[in-house]
Amino acid sequence: MSDPTTLAASLLKGHRESIDRLDAILVYTLAERFKHTQAVGRLKAEHDLPASDPLRESQQIERLQRMALEADLDPEFAKKFLNFIISEVIRHHEKLQK
């Protein structure tokens, strides 16, 4: 029979390895997302469109909250997370328009 401490350490190691992989996925996914939003920002600047699109932002927040519920993730956390991303995107878009 295994030592409970050894078993716990092994399980902990497995969870941490999964967390590390997921963190990498998050970083690379965010980088890919920002590449697209930067392209959107350049298009908006070239065509004198506003940096912010409140209707789209609202729709995206609602969409993300629905997905969060489906994924058993706190929808309020998902909203805060997307609001943070949106604020960064808008900041980048505004820089491009100057």
Side-chain angles (χ1 to χ4, degrees):
M1 191 156 109
S2 287
D3 171 25
T5 303
T6 303
L7 178 59
S10 176
L11 291 170
L12 183 61
K13 182 178 185 274
H15 286 302
R16 287 180 173 163
E17 288 170 353
S18 292
I19 289 167
D20 291 349
R21 280 192 302 278
L22 292 165
D23 285 345
I25 290 167
L26 284 170
V27 167
Y28 283 98
T29 300
L30 284 171
E32 183 70 19
R33 188 186 195 286
F34 274 98
K35 287 176 190 170
H36 288 285
T37 61
Q38 287 169 356
V40 166
R42 286 190 297 275
L43 279 169
K44 286 181 173 184
E46 290 168 9
H47 297 281
D48 200 28
L49 297 170
S52 177
D53 183 345
L55 177 59
R56 166 125 173 106
E57 293 156 20
S58 173
Q59 291 169 338
Q60 285 298 92
I61 289 168
E62 288 176 17
R63 179 177 159 269
L64 197 71
Q65 286 183 299
R66 283 193 306 274
M67 290 187 327
L69 285 170
E70 292 170 8
D72 198 26
L73 178 69
D74 179 0
E76 201 51 40
F77 169 78
K79 180 180 178 179
K80 288 176 187 176
F81 180 71
L82 189 59
N83 274 327
F84 173 73
I85 292 172
I86 289 170
S87 68
E88 284 297 299
V89 168
I90 291 170
R91 190 174 63 79
H92 291 165
H93 289 186
E94 287 171 344
K95 280 184 181 178
L96 290 169
Q97 292 183 344
K98 292 181 180 180

